[in-house]
Amino acid sequence: MKNGCLAIITGTAIILLSNNLFAASPDPFQQYEMQRQDINRSAMLVLGSWAVGNMLVGAYGHFNTTGQVREFHQFNVMWNVVNLGIAAFGYHQAVSADPLALGHVDVLKEYNALQNILLLNVGLNVSYMATGLYLRE
């Protein structure tokens, strides 16, 4: 009887300890999602800072230049209002998301969505540059 109780207590202690050890570390998908959200938060802060800086330079240029240069600065301010909006939305999304609440499929969907957005952005950037080169000619 003594040995049986001791075995049950020992087995229970081992199970409780092993559950705590495994519960302490999130799985690789959750670790990836936490890292992705940390990077996204940092990137949105950089984009927002860049946008504010460009808006300040654009506003200064707008009030201190004339002609096409003034129009360039106006466009720069307007474009960076868009960048600031993107940064604010992206930062809000990164701060409000809970990476531990996402399952493996959800993490993969988030990854694919980001990948598609970045591919679209590359396509738009190439088209902007090609249009600019065409208009220059």
Side-chain angles (χ1 to χ4, degrees):
M1 183 72 162
K2 242 185 194 182
N3 289 341
C5 288
L6 183 62
I8 291 173
I9 292 171
T10 304
T12 304
I14 290 172
I15 289 172
L16 289 175
L17 287 174
S18 66
N19 282 344
N20 286 339
L21 289 174
F22 292 121
S25 63
D27 70 29
F29 282 89
Q30 290 172 334
Q31 286 177 335
Y32 166 79
E33 185 63 16
M34 288 188 302
Q35 288 174 346
R36 187 187 73 78
Q37 288 180 7
D38 286 342
I39 291 169
N40 196 30
R41 269 191 295 276
S42 297
M44 293 303 107
L45 286 173
V46 168
L47 178 61
S49 300
W50 177 262
V52 169
N54 275 322
M55 290 168 71
L56 292 173
V57 169
Y60 176 81
H62 169 74
F63 291 111
N64 292 305
T65 59
T66 59
Q68 286 183 337
V69 175
R70 182 180 181 152
E71 292 171 5
F72 170 79
H73 287 295
Q74 286 175 338
F75 177 79
N76 195 31
V77 170
M78 289 184 280
W79 184 254
N80 281 285
V81 168
V82 172
N83 281 341
L84 187 60
I86 292 169
F89 178 76
Y91 186 79
H92 173 71
Q93 293 287 57
V95 170
S96 63
D98 181 15
L100 299 177
L102 296 176
H104 293 176
V105 174
D106 296 325
V107 170
L108 290 173
K109 284 180 183 178
E110 291 286 327
Y111 171 79
N112 284 332
L114 178 62
Q115 188 177 32
N116 288 336
I117 289 169
L118 293 176
L119 286 172
L120 174 66
N121 188 35
V122 167
L124 289 172
N125 288 338
V126 169
S127 67
Y128 295 153
M129 289 186 289
T131 302
L133 289 172
Y134 173 77
L135 292 175
R136 185 174 178 168
E137 292 300 318

